[in-house]
Amino acid sequence: MEIYQKSWLISEVEIDNVASNNFTGSIPSFLSLLPNLQHMYLSMNQFWGEIPSSLSNLTKLEVLRINRNFLKGEIRREIGDLRYLKFLDLQYNQLTGSIPTSIFNITTMQAIALANNNLTGKLPTSICDHLPNLEGLYLSVNSLDGIIPPNLEKCKKLQLLSLSENEFPGTVPRELSNLTTLTILNFATLHLEDRAVLHVHFSNLFMSDGEQYGIL
């Protein structure tokens, strides 16, 4: 089943919720013609292809959820142009490439959920310089590598950090113990040199071995 254009060309539409249907095909480019759209829920369908760069035209968008589809290709750097975005959920797709640094510059962002894809590359060392409101970071089950950035301590509101099943080597940054709001930490299966430090510095946290929790 495909989404047809005629029924959607209403400029006043603020919420687009077609989650949990059997919609197929690529994400329709005409959705970018809804200038007042604030929430877009396309989760749990059968959309394939790439994320359209035209979604960056939705300048009022606050919630973008396209999780549990069959999307491929890279995450568009143009998503970083959505200056009011609070929730980004692209989990459980087949996305590849590195995470655009532009996403980490959206100061309104509260949750970034990119788990269960095929993402590669390193996290920026300045990851939390512009994320004062981030509460949840879901990056598990990818192929990310490089160090876990000590800069994460600047995400002062972070409650959930999920990095399990990636390729992060080295040590656990002690700076993470400065995150006083952190309640769930998921580092399962990471090849870290000093896992004992987790229990010394993060003994008050729920150490998750499971999937995703909270926030979203």
Side-chain angles (χ1 to χ4, degrees):
M1 181 166 57
E2 296 183 356
I3 298 178
Y4 291 98
Q5 179 172 355
K6 186 179 296 185
S7 62
W8 289 89
L9 290 183
I10 304 173
S11 61
E12 290 78 16
V13 171
E14 295 183 358
I15 298 177
D16 168 9
N17 189 346
V18 295
S20 301
N21 284 284
N22 291 313
F23 289 123
T24 60
S26 58
I27 296 174
S29 59
F30 66 78
L31 292 178
S32 63
L33 302 177
L34 302 172
N36 293 308
L37 198 65
Q38 297 177 11
H39 296 186
M40 179 180 286
Y41 301 94
L42 304 179
S43 306
M44 292 182 282
N45 283 289
Q46 299 180 47
F47 290 117
W48 47 262
E50 298 188 351
I51 300 170
S53 59
S54 58
L55 292 184
S56 63
N57 295 332
L58 301 173
T59 56
K60 296 183 180 180
L61 202 63
E62 297 180 3
V63 177
L64 178 58
R65 290 183 171 167
I66 323 179
N67 57 300
R68 296 183 186 274
N69 281 282
F70 300 95
L71 299 177
K72 294 185 177 181
E74 298 187 351
I75 299 173
R76 299 286 190 175
R77 62 174 179 78
E78 290 87 354
I79 289 179
D81 295 333
L82 300 173
R83 307 317 302 168
Y84 299 102
L85 199 61
K86 296 178 180 179
F87 297 93
L88 175 64
D89 188 357
L90 304 177
Q91 299 180 107
Y92 294 93
N93 280 288
Q94 300 166 27
L95 298 169
T96 56
S98 59
I99 303 171
T101 56
S102 59
I103 288 176
F104 301 119
N105 292 327
I106 303 175
T107 58
T108 54
M109 193 73 81
Q110 295 179 22
I112 299 173
L114 307 175
N116 292 82
N117 279 288
N118 300 308
L119 299 172
T120 56
K122 298 174 173 57
L123 297 179
T125 56
S126 58
I127 185 171
C128 282
D129 278 357
H130 305 289
L131 294 174
N133 298 299
L134 193 69
E135 298 178 5
L137 183 60
Y138 308 74
L139 301 179
S140 293
V141 196
N142 281 290
S143 297
L144 300 169
D145 58 15
I147 66 167
I148 298 173
N151 179 272
L152 283 165
E153 71 167 333
K154 290 189 176 181
C155 286
K156 298 297 185 182
K157 295 184 179 181
L158 197 62
Q159 299 175 31
L160 186 151
L161 177 60
S162 183
L163 302 179
S164 66
E165 297 188 52
N166 278 288
E167 304 298 327
F168 297 114
T171 60
V172 179
R174 283 175 164 77
E175 289 85 351
L176 297 188
S177 63
N178 296 326
L179 293 170
T180 57
T181 59
L182 194 64
T183 56
I184 298 176
L185 183 63
N186 187 355
F187 280 0
T189 74
L190 294 184
H191 304 293
L192 300 171
E193 297 175 2
D194 54 355
R195 297 191 66 87
V197 172
L198 291 174
H199 299 283
V200 173
H201 293 278
F202 307 101
S203 58
N204 60 320
L205 301 182
F206 177 75
M207 307 294 287
S208 167
D209 290 325
E211 289 191 359
Q212 315 307 326
Y213 294 81
I215 313 304
L216 287 169

